[in-house]
């Protein structure tokens, strides 16, 4: 009697309701969702459908379940358990050049915006990263600092959408940085070249110079691209 | 005995396994997933956890359930039931200017890329859209053509990530276009101005001229931005 289609529609409706409550402002960041039992009563659907919908919202990273307290709309969306964009990219067997193209599109202009909006706190947080890039003997540590450096610039743009998009492709950027650095660092002296490129980006941000910031970012990404094209 | 945390970890593990099978290439586009029963046996978890994980993958738009056939990795990811980025943006109560900023970042450079890669089929599909923008009396129809026009350019870039990102913020772009056009069309003669701007973008794509395409796109978005800034 219960076909899968019907069941699909039920959980879709639950998600749709939560979505609409967010759009019309009924649900805000940090708000507690009604209990499972209340949702069952209000929406007149089975507890299973409610639980499926809630799980999906948790997996998407929109809702968090606090033990003994219930379900809440997340305060921060920085860490998404699942990155649909990254996974779909891998499934498409897409070309790594697309990641470079995306990085150039987003990061060059983002650097220009960040130069106007970066805070002194953000600038300060970049200094230890530059030091690691220059002085650390551990490539693993340098890869992490490299990624942190670029994500700090994204946050400095104060554009939530840009930050969210880069977070949504975080695994792709991560493996791209690792691959690019491995190819670049076949020439050992390139550690210093990369460290200097990052420092130049930092200095142009510190000067609040959008044009210099975007040029420094373009130079850095074009350099990486050149090595990615080899092999 | 079964705490919610433990249960959370179980479905996370199921998702993680599917994710890893995609990353290592075991699962490809269009592939059938093992049946619920097989997953229960392989992963040694409850049927409920398996169903929760599968539902979440369906909601994310990665897996589709075909009645009587089972679960499949989707062939196409164009239509995502849920747009996490759009929802999170609404929750953040973010500034609509961020949408304009994102559009400028992505679409100006995407137009430049599209000018080099657009096919004659894609160009042909833009002609009826330009006609609607110029001649239709229905603003609803024109809004749809406006959005289709911009998404055709994204697809013409042949960069899967750019298309996916614009799809992920589709509701935001949609309401942005509606709002911007409403403000612009307070001056009725602006229908022709907007139609001409779209035609100019089309002509520069047709010429394969990246510089002209990005300039035409910038002019168009700056014009919209000017009206969005009013009031």
């Amino acid at each position: 009697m219960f076909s899968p289609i019907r069941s699909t529609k039920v959980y879709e409706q639950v998600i749709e309701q939560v979505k609409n409550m967010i759009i019309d402002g009924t649900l805000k960041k940090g708000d507690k969702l009604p209990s499972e039992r209340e949702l069952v009563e209000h929406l007149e659907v089975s507890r299973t459908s409610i639980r499926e919908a809630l799980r999906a919202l948790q997996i998407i990273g929109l809702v968090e379940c606090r033990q003994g307290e219930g379900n809440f709309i997340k305060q921060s969306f920085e860490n998404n358990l699942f990155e649909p964009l990254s996974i779909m990219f891998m499934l498409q067997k897409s070309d790594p050049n697309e990641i470079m193209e995306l990085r150039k599109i987003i990061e060059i202009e983002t650097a220009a915006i960040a130069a106007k909006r970066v805070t002194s706190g953000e600038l300060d947080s970049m200094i230890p990263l530059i030091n690691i890039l220059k002085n650390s003997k551990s490539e693993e540590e340098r890869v992490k600092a490299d990624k942190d450096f670029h994500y700090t610039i994204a946050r400095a743009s104060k554009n939530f959408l840009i930050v969210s998009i880069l977070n949504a492709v975080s695994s792709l950027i991560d493996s791209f940085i690792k691959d690019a650095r491995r190819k670049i660092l076949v020439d050992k002296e390139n550690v210093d070249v990369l460290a200097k490129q990052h420092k130049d980006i930092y200095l142009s941000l510190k000067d609040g110079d959008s044009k210099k910031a975007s040029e420094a970012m373009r130079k850095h990404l074009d350099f990486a691209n050149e090595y990615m094209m080899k092999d």
Side-chain angles (χ1 to χ4, degrees), chain A:
Chain A
M1 290 297 276
F2 292 94
S3 70
I5 287 291
R6 182 163 156 65
S7 150
T8 302
K9 277 187 185 149
V10 173
Y11 80 74
E12 281 184 10
Q13 281 162 20
V14 177
I15 302 250
E16 201 60 31
Q17 295 246 5
V18 173
K19 198 169 159 179
N20 288 336
M21 287 168 82
I22 289 168
I23 292 170
D24 71 19
T26 315
L27 278 178
K28 291 182 223 42
K29 269 196 298 179
D31 279 359
K32 190 173 185 298
L33 289 176
S35 71
E36 282 184 19
R37 192 169 48 186
E38 285 169 317
L39 287 168
V40 168
E41 282 168 20
H42 283 306
L43 306 175
E44 297 178 4
V45 295
S46 73
R47 191 158 189 133
T48 308
S49 301
I50 296 290
R51 296 194 63 148
E52 283 171 352
L54 288 172
R55 281 279 182 270
L57 292 170
Q58 286 163 22
I59 290 165
I60 288 164
L62 190 67
V63 164
E64 66 179 335
C65 174
R66 293 190 214 137
Q67 203 173 357
E69 289 187 74
N71 291 294
F72 294 79
I73 302 286
K74 270 202 179 175
Q75 282 285 357
S76 133
F77 310 108
E78 292 258 321
N79 292 312
N80 202 326
L81 171 64
F82 197 73
E83 297 171 31
L85 283 182
S86 298
I87 295 297
M88 286 169 191
F89 182 80
M90 292 176 203
L91 274 171
Q92 296 288 126
K93 300 222 163 298
S94 304
D95 185 343
N97 288 328
E98 290 186 26
I99 303 172
M100 173 47 84
E101 205 165 75
L102 183 75
R103 288 196 70 183
K104 283 182 72 174
I105 288 176
I106 293 189
E107 294 193 51
I108 291 171
E109 191 58 26
T110 297
I113 296 168
K116 291 180 215 144
R117 300 182 190 160
V118 68
T119 63
S120 54
E122 282 159 349
L123 286 167
D124 287 349
S125 73
M126 297 171 91
I127 295 172
L129 302 177
I130 294 170
N131 286 336
I132 290 169
L133 286 169
K134 187 159 173 56
N135 302 317
S136 171
K137 296 293 168 228
S138 151
E139 173 60 7
E140 199 185 331
E141 207 177 42
R142 289 185 307 219
V143 163
K144 196 183 167 304
D146 193 325
K147 192 181 173 191
D148 283 356
F149 183 91
H150 287 274
Y151 277 76
T152 303
I153 295 172
R155 284 192 300 274
S157 77
K158 310 294 180 295
N159 187 315
F160 169 78
L161 285 169
I162 293 170
V163 177
S164 303
I165 286 168
L166 288 176
N167 281 337
V169 293
S170 173
S171 320
L172 297 181
I173 303 266
D174 209 27
S175 64
F176 182 89
I177 289 176
K178 263 182 217 149
D179 288 355
R181 290 185 61 96
R182 203 183 49 240
K183 288 183 182 175
I184 293 167
L185 297 179
V186 169
D187 300 336
K188 286 233 173 79
E189 65 269 36
N190 276 340
V191 173
D192 291 335
V193 177
L194 282 178
K196 186 172 181 310
Q197 287 175 356
H198 285 95
K199 193 169 183 188
D200 286 344
I201 297 170
Y202 161 80
L203 289 173
S204 57
L205 293 174
K206 195 164 175 248
D207 288 347
D209 189 331
S210 288
K211 191 148 179 273
K212 256 174 65 187
S214 59
E215 274 165 16
M217 183 63 85
R218 184 187 300 275
K219 196 175 156 191
H220 170 50
L221 293 177
D222 280 346
F223 177 80
N225 196 25
E226 204 179 289
Y227 279 87
M228 283 302 275
M229 293 302 214
K230 288 181 186 179
D231 87 348

